[in-house]
Amino acid sequence: VRMRYVVVQSLVGIMLAYQLVTGPDVLVSHSVTGWIIGGLVILIGVVSAVPPSVHQAMWFASSLIAIDSLLVTGTIYLSGNASAELYLSYFVLMLVAASLQRVGYVMALSVLLCSGYGFLSYQGFDQTGAVSVGRLLGMPVLLVMGLLYGMALETIGIERREKAKLEKNVEQLRRTEERLQAAREQLELRIKGLKDD
């Protein structure tokens, strides 16, 4: 699980850094861009340094989704490559991914969204005769974030199932303890009856 998160977080960092460095109309200075890229590298380091047990925790997956969602939306805006169709595709991916539980489903959705986004990008290229870096990076961003959402939601689903199983086991143990207590009380009554006899 750790390696999957590190690889996906590295892909997110590389794409966002490239978006900031190559964006034609970046809204921040080079020093701020350097700080943002440094923060992306630190985030990759933190994800790789976290113990494996934390990678399987629901709070970690949820936190990573929230952080990466903020990073992607912020970077798309700051790079000057913000486009309505990319934001729309991205937020549709986020909303629908929240209702799915498996990586395969989220990736299939990502491919469909990328197809629609690619069609819109091609129409833009057909009209202007040029494709911006931001438009080309839109599809990989959607695919990688779809993979991240799928992995995180799968981790959350696994933890919920394990929690439900644990609660069921605790309930069974409680019932068993109640039966044992009742049997013990009956046994004590029989022993008392035998002693009285």
Side-chain angles (χ1 to χ4, degrees):
V1 174
R2 173 194 284 191
M3 199 61 202
R4 289 196 303 172
Y5 275 122
V6 171
V7 168
V8 172
Q9 195 60 47
S10 300
L11 288 172
V12 169
I14 289 166
M15 284 187 303
L16 297 183
Y18 184 76
Q19 185 96 312
L20 282 171
V21 170
T22 61
D25 303 319
V26 178
L27 303 177
V28 291
S29 65
H30 288 297
S31 61
V32 174
T33 300
W35 279 103
I36 294 171
I37 292 171
L40 291 169
V41 171
I42 290 170
L43 183 59
I44 294 166
V46 167
V47 170
S48 63
V50 167
S53 59
V54 174
H55 284 115
Q56 297 172 351
M58 190 167 24
W59 67 265
F60 178 78
S62 302
S63 300
L64 202 57
I65 282 179
I67 290 168
D68 281 336
S69 298
L70 289 171
L71 283 172
V72 168
T73 51
T75 304
I76 289 171
Y77 173 74
L78 292 176
S79 67
N81 290 317
S83 61
E85 63 269 12
L86 179 56
Y87 274 126
L88 181 64
S89 301
Y90 181 59
F91 285 113
V92 166
L93 173 65
M94 284 174 55
L95 290 171
V96 178
S99 66
L100 301 174
Q101 295 291 321
R102 297 179 182 231
V103 177
Y105 296 157
V106 178
M107 285 308 296
L109 171 70
S110 303
V111 170
L112 287 173
L113 284 173
C114 283
S115 301
Y117 178 75
F119 177 74
L120 291 172
S121 296
Y122 176 75
Q123 281 186 331
F125 169 75
D126 206 24
Q127 292 171 357
T128 62
V131 178
S132 70
V133 174
R135 285 189 175 270
L136 286 177
L137 275 175
M139 286 182 272
V141 164
L142 287 172
L143 285 172
V144 170
M145 291 308 290
L147 179 61
L148 175 68
Y149 291 147
M151 284 169 43
L153 290 168
E154 190 175 59
T155 301
I156 290 169
I158 289 169
E159 184 167 318
R160 282 182 181 159
R161 286 191 294 274
E162 286 178 0
K163 184 179 176 184
K165 190 188 295 183
L166 185 62
E167 286 173 353
K168 184 179 177 184
N169 289 342
V170 168
E171 181 63 25
Q172 287 175 345
L173 284 172
R174 190 184 60 76
R175 286 185 196 145
T176 303
E177 185 180 5
E178 287 172 358
R179 284 195 300 267
L180 285 172
Q181 183 65 28
R184 180 181 168 194
E185 289 169 3
Q186 286 179 356
L187 184 61
E188 286 175 355
L189 285 173
R190 284 182 185 170
I191 291 171
K192 186 180 177 196
L194 287 172
K195 283 181 179 178
D196 291 345
D197 289 345

